[in-house]
Amino acid sequence: QLPRTESECPLGLLYLSVLAFYDGVRSGLEDEMLRRWAGRVQSLLARFPVYAIALSRWPVFHALEHFSRLHEQEPEYFCDDSTGVLDWKELRGVASQWATSKSEREVTEDMQGLEHILADRFMTALRRRESQTLSEEECEFGFYFMIANQMVAAANHETQHLPPFNAIMDTIMARVPFSRIAACGWPIFTVLVILADLNKGLWFFGGDRKYLRGYSDWNLRRDELSPLLPAELDFLSPEWRSEARLSTQELVELPAAEYSEAIRRKIELRESSSGPLRPIVRGIVEAARKIVEASPP
């Protein structure tokens, strides 16, 4: 049944594979079966951009963060004896306190102080290409933690800065075993849980609920809630409903490649008449296209 499940819903299979792997860890499943489940998780993580997994409704990063405590921490990745661009032991301590407070939804002066320290250290390490390179050499997973945070910051405020951080995080998730990230001592999965909540507003971001869905700081205008339809159609009006019905009927039976191309054409048509989409909206559409394109034909 797994090939069929992967064909129908690969992100759903990714989530269930994470659960199956950790259920096996807890129940003492034989090593060969654990390796198979771990390999499936890793291959599915590599198929999708990190932001596509985060934007989906499958709590993949929540599961990875929740079960990371089952891994024995590996001090070789802590960088406690490494100093140079930063004092990495200090940064890891601040990062751990921050992640704990964030997970407990604390909003205190202490929390704000931790975030100021993190912002200062990120600026020191990431403001120049030379310091970025040195940071990655000095502390691989500390550098990954900073990049994940910058990805959230860009998604939250300035989406035009997302692409370089996306590219790095995609490479990390495809190349580095998820079990090593869980055991590295840096709260990377906690940051990705926060990223996943940006378009939902269920845990970390309250958002504006006027659209009956929490978009947090990714609030969309009424015309942006349906970017495949003409911008002049008022959201949920009779004309909008009629056009949405026709568009859905047109798309629903298409194979993956044609579906993605049809979306591209609809976006092109809309932009030709109403101007370019904001980066935030284009990012959501492109995430959807990438998920479809990664699905089997």
Side-chain angles (χ1 to χ4, degrees):
Q1 293 294 317
L2 285 179
R4 180 178 176 184
T5 303
E6 185 170 354
S7 174
E8 292 179 352
C9 187
L11 283 172
L13 178 60
L14 170 57
Y15 173 66
L16 294 176
S17 297
V18 172
L19 298 186
F21 172 77
Y22 283 108
D23 182 63
V25 170
R26 283 177 160 174
S27 63
L29 191 66
E30 61 185 61
D31 289 346
E32 178 59 29
M33 289 301 297
L34 282 177
R35 280 193 291 270
R36 289 184 185 179
W37 280 115
R40 185 173 295 278
V41 171
Q42 200 66 45
S43 66
L44 288 168
L45 283 171
R47 277 181 59 181
F48 298 98
V50 168
Y51 72 81
I53 298 173
L55 287 172
S56 79
R57 292 285 158 170
W58 292 98
V60 173
F61 293 132
H62 297 75
L64 289 169
E65 192 263 350
H66 175 78
F67 289 113
S68 62
R69 68 200 69 178
L70 297 181
H71 293 269
E72 184 176 349
Q73 299 293 284
E74 300 185 31
E76 65 182 289
Y77 302 122
F78 292 0
C79 312
D80 283 357
D81 297 325
S82 179
T83 56
V85 176
L86 295 174
D87 180 337
W88 294 100
K89 182 177 181 178
E90 181 223 26
L91 179 61
R92 195 174 70 85
V94 173
S96 297
Q97 292 179 55
W98 171 83
T100 299
S101 297
K102 202 73 173 174
S103 297
E104 293 173 354
R105 321 294 188 258
E106 293 182 0
V107 181
T108 64
E109 289 186 8
D110 288 344
M111 178 65 162
Q112 293 173 353
L114 293 173
E115 292 185 334
H116 283 308
I117 294 172
L118 290 176
D120 177 72
R121 303 302 183 270
F122 293 169
M123 176 64 71
T124 299
L126 301 178
R127 63 185 170 185
R128 295 193 307 270
R129 186 176 298 276
E130 295 81 3
S131 59
Q132 291 177 27
T133 301
L134 285 173
S135 294
E136 187 172 10
E137 292 174 354
E138 290 175 3
C139 188
E140 178 185 7
F141 288 94
F143 176 74
Y144 296 162
F145 167 74
M146 290 192 292
I147 292 299
N149 264 280
Q150 293 303 103
M151 186 177 183
V152 174
N156 194 16
H157 296 295
E158 298 177 314
T159 55
Q160 70 271 22
H161 297 311
L162 269 172
F165 300 124
N166 287 345
I168 295 172
M169 287 307 301
D170 291 348
T171 300
I172 293 167
M173 295 306 298
R175 181 176 63 83
V176 181
F178 70 91
S179 56
R180 188 176 302 166
I181 297 174
C184 73
W186 293 86
I188 295 169
F189 282 137
T190 300
V191 179
L192 294 180
V193 168
I194 295 171
L195 174 67
D197 193 52
L198 271 170
N199 73 319
K200 303 174 184 70
L202 300 178
W203 292 278
F204 299 99
F205 298 92
D208 187 337
R209 299 302 179 119
K210 62 178 172 291
Y211 302 133
L212 303 182
R213 178 176 174 186
Y215 281 90
S216 186
D217 288 315
W218 283 19
N219 285 327
L220 302 180
R221 301 193 300 261
R222 288 177 67 86
D223 65 287
E224 293 173 333
L225 293 173
S226 49
L228 304 185
L229 300 183
E232 62 270 16
L233 293 179
D234 187 37
F235 184 60
L236 296 182
S237 67
E239 295 79 12
W240 181 94
R241 292 176 187 273
S242 176
E243 187 68 24
R245 188 178 303 111
L246 291 173
S247 182
T248 301
Q249 291 171 353
E250 174 191 344
L251 292 170
V252 71
E253 298 296 335
L254 294 176
E258 293 181 29
Y259 183 95
S260 179
E261 177 60 19
I263 290 178
R264 187 196 65 77
R265 290 197 303 270
K266 286 179 177 290
I267 292 297
E268 191 175 79
L269 180 62
R270 169 163 169 153
E271 290 187 320
S272 68
S273 61
S274 304
L277 295 173
R278 289 194 297 158
I280 181 178
V281 184
R282 178 166 288 283
I284 294 170
V285 172
E286 289 304 314
R289 288 187 64 207
K290 286 183 182 295
I291 291 172
V292 170
E293 289 169 1
S295 303

